Amino acid sequence: MVGAQDRKPRARERDPEPAANRWRPSQLHPATLSLLFVLAGLLWVLCVDPLLARWLDAAAQAPKPWPSALAITLGGMLLYWLLQARATSARQTQDLRLAEFIEQITDVAFIKDRQSRYRLLNAAGARLACRPLAECLNRDDLALFPPEMAHRLLEEDRQVLAGGALLSCEHTFVLQGDTRTFLSTKWPCRNAGGQIIGILGIARDITARKQVEERSERARADLESRVRERTAQLSAINQDLERQIAARIQAEIALRESEERFRQLTEHIQEVFWVHGIGEERTLYISPAYEAVWGRPIHGLHERPLDWLESIHPDDRARVQAAHVAKQCSGHFDEEYRIVRPDGAIRWIWDRGFPIRDDAGHVYRIAGLAEDITRRKLAEDQLRRQQVELARMARLSLAVELASSLAHELNQPLAAIVAYTQACLALLRQDHADPRVLTGPLDEVVNQGMRAGEIIRHLRELVQKHPAAQSALDLNALIRSVVHYAQLELRQAGVVLNLELDESLPAVLADDIQIQLAVLYVLRNAIEALNEKHGDPRVLTVRTARMDPERVLATVHDTGRGFSQEVEAHLFQPFFTTKPGGMGLGLSVSRSIVEAQNGQLWASANPEGGASFHFSLPVHPDT
Ligand code: ADP
């Protein structure tokens, strides 16, 4: 407010003076105007008029001026009265307009005396005091308003009276339960001598404007706080983004480094690393080793994705193709196959694939490793051939060994045949001999002959070299037949034999001749171990049982001398032996035989002494 008042005069200085404010004769005071009129009349009558008369007619007698002067004076008085009446009327009109204006304005306007009593108050002031105007006049604020408000108003009055300057301030009061804000301006009222005789004032109810200002202030504060919040959020988001970008850059660097390491790895390993898309016949990546192993260019594989399949040996192709199709569903692939290189060379490949899943767990790629196992395969073939040869040789040497003992075994049935035949002949030579008595001895002759034939047949089978021919095999029957071969040795060693064979044992899938050989080696070792032990008991137990749904288990348990931990570590090594005349081949050949039949052979030391040899064989799938 004060600033606004300060600016107003300056604005007036710049403006040209309006025409209405310029001086006009009618603005002169009536008395001044009347006096001027009288002086002008008197000047005319007393000075100008005699001079004119004398100049026009020197002989003429000078007119008497006093009546005219009196008339002029009276005229001047009349003029004064008229002008005074007109001015009074104009002032009254102006006062009326001013009073009407003061009454009509919505602001409170007032004039107080030095005792702060209201000498003039407009209708708005009376409404504020909630009293008729007549009750307000000649009373001070204490009589009209609540004490707190009245004291503040009186304090302002004191300041105006003491300072003699304009005072403008805002108040917020509670009036009739309403909180209202006023902008009040007060200034001293002075008399013609400049003495302060009272206070003039005007008070404007700015409650609505204040509320609007407060609302807009609150809205502005709210807006500012929201802007601050939003700025903070944006700043946080920005920081987060910066962090994410930094992390992403780090991740990208790490990824690039990892890719570089991966590239170095895949490009330098001898295995072929490949990545295949699911549902699309396309190799996404294949390492350079492909060219070395397959002997074909990588770009050819990208141009013709099934190039690798075409390079597979015709005998393996159908199987690998089927596995390749299955791989597209399961993601898994594990095949050994041969490839034919463009130069005609054949290579063995061991190819394994595993699924790569996305975040949802769906397989979307297959990665794999193809290894050139040609050398291993050749070595395995070589070993297999050697093992077969070894087995054959071992069987031969065994057969030679057995031949001498079997000769002894054969002696017995042959001797029995001779004896029974001689008895028959003796009976036949007797007169009146009943031929029916010959039936018994002749049956024995037949039995003994059959037994001898059986022994010989088995011997032939043992020494016969023939490839493994797997078939459904009754393991219990096989063990019984091998025990039969070893009867002589068992008897000579004074061994007690226990057969604990599970009669519900299912058939196994194996080559009977080879398994016989393995069982025979293990039995012989057990008999020799029992022979080396002094004193009783000399017990050999052979057990069979079902190991699990897919396998059966056979155990040869002896109470022989057993073996040390050191010996145990070498038991299955070829040519390892602790016997003076041993070859050290029996167990290694036996293990090869059993493993060739998809079984396992192992040994364990018995807690009570002696050793146990166990072997498992697969159950025949049709069982
Ligand atoms: P060898 O014909 O020389 O005995 P093997 O391979 O049959 O060759 O056996 C190797 C070694 O394993 C034997 O020399 C022996 O020390 C040990 N061995 C095999 N079976 C038994 C057993 N039942 N008890 C104790 N030691 C055994």
Side-chain angles (χ1 to χ4, degrees), residues 402-605:
L402 284 175
S404 59
S405 57
L406 285 173
H408 175 76
E409 285 289 309
L410 284 172
N411 267 342
Q412 197 188 356
L414 287 174
I417 289 168
V418 170
Y420 282 121
T421 312
Q422 284 174 342
C424 288
L425 282 172
L427 282 170
L428 284 171
R429 284 188 191 112
Q430 286 177 10
D431 292 337
H432 313 297
D434 188 351
R436 282 177 295 185
V437 297
L438 297 175
T439 314
L442 285 176
D443 280 347
E444 272 306 315
V445 168
V446 171
N447 284 341
Q448 294 297 329
M450 299 264 287
R451 192 179 152 210
E454 185 80 357
I455 291 168
I456 290 163
R457 190 174 63 79
H458 277 286
L459 181 63
R460 277 179 56 218
E461 282 174 357
L462 277 173
V463 296
Q464 200 174 36
K465 177 185 174 181
H466 70 93
Q470 291 187 323
S471 59
L473 185 69
D474 182 348
L475 188 60
N476 289 344
L478 183 144
I479 288 170
R480 284 194 188 95
S481 71
V482 176
V483 166
H484 191 73
Y485 299 145
Q487 278 292 350
L488 185 64
E489 285 173 83
L490 286 167
R491 238 193 338 261
Q492 283 175 348
V495 172
V496 178
L497 176 71
N498 287 331
L499 288 183
E500 296 175 5
L501 306 179
D502 181 359
E503 292 308 329
S504 64
L505 204 66
V508 295
L509 179 67
D511 180 313
D512 61 341
I513 297 296
Q514 297 206 10
I515 297 300
Q516 275 185 37
L517 187 63
V519 174
L520 193 58
Y521 276 139
V522 174
L523 273 182
R524 271 189 56 214
N525 277 340
I527 293 166
E528 285 171 1
L530 285 164
N531 263 334
E532 288 174 28
K533 187 193 171 197
H534 303 291
D536 289 327
R538 293 185 167 200
V539 183
L540 178 65
T541 308
V542 183
R543 285 188 206 101
T544 57
R546 187 130 188 182
M547 193 174 169
D548 56 38
E550 277 92 35
R551 291 176 296 173
V552 298
L553 176 69
T555 301
V556 178
H557 175 284
D558 67 58
T559 57
R561 62 173 167 79
F563 46 71
S564 65
Q565 278 188 348
E566 199 185 352
V567 168
E568 188 178 7
H570 304 287
L571 279 177
F572 295 94
Q573 283 177 4
F575 307 110
F576 172 78
T577 180
T578 57
K579 298 168 196 164
M583 287 277 287
L585 286 173
L587 287 181
S588 69
V589 169
S590 299
R591 177 174 264 184
S592 301
I593 288 173
V594 172
E595 286 180 354
Q597 313 295 315
N598 299 317
Q600 284 175 312
L601 172 63
W602 68 98
S604 62

Side-chain angles (χ1 to χ4, degrees), residues 309 312-325 335 337:
L309 208 53
I312 290 174
H313 192 285
D315 291 351
D316 298 339
R317 194 176 297 152
R319 171 174 58 86
V320 175
Q321 196 158 10
H324 172 67
V325 171
E335 289 293 326
Y337 53 82

